[in-house]
Amino acid sequence: RVQLVESGGGSVQAGGPLRLSCAHSGYPSSRHCMGWFRQAPGKEREGVAAIYTAGGGTYYANSVKGRFTISQDNAKNTLYLQMNSLKPEDTAMYYCAAFSDSCRVGGWFKYWGQGTQVTVS
């Protein structure tokens, strides 16, 4: 059984940092693409970042380039999203996702976590 569990969300002032974590388990191999998405009320879910955990590159939406960093700790089976210089428009529910045929921001993913709320004021 594949499980994805996000944590680290909360309320933060504009300009501040926040780090989201996604503990994952149940994969048949370590060769996976993983990503972060977000969804604000009344808006479509959008991809914000993606990473190929077996050694590929990292990819970001234009709106977060230079501020967010996606990374993977293979030993801990944990995906991270370091968010710096947060803006009110970053307020959304953030989701991690895993298993995609093509590793790109906003691509199709098979498995999803339940989400963690980020509120920037």
Side-chain angles (χ1 to χ4, degrees), residues 26-121:
Y27 300 116
S29 75
S30 63
R31 292 182 177 271
H32 293 290
C33 177
M34 300 194 71
W36 285 98
F37 290 72
R38 66 185 182 186
Q39 186 171 24
K43 296 184 178 180
E44 295 293 318
R45 181 174 295 185
E46 63 174 346
V48 299
I51 183 172
Y52 187 65
T53 59
T58 56
Y59 315 93
Y60 301 93
N62 289 333
S63 60
V64 306
K65 285 183 179 178
R67 299 189 298 120
F68 291 9
T69 302
I70 186 171
S71 62
Q72 166 75 9
D73 187 328
N74 289 324
K76 296 181 178 180
N77 287 328
T78 302
L79 178 74
Y80 300 100
L81 183 67
Q82 179 64 50
M83 310 164 70
N84 296 325
S85 301
L86 284 164
K87 305 174 181 179
E89 46 264 51
D90 294 318
T91 296
M93 183 73 75
Y94 283 72
Y95 302 87
C96 65
F99 207 90
S100 178
D101 290 337
S102 60
C103 203
R104 60 185 177 88
V105 177
W108 179 89
F109 286 84
K110 184 176 182 179
Y111 304 106
W112 295 81
Q114 294 299 305
T116 185
Q117 179 68 39
V118 173
T119 302
V120 184
S121 61

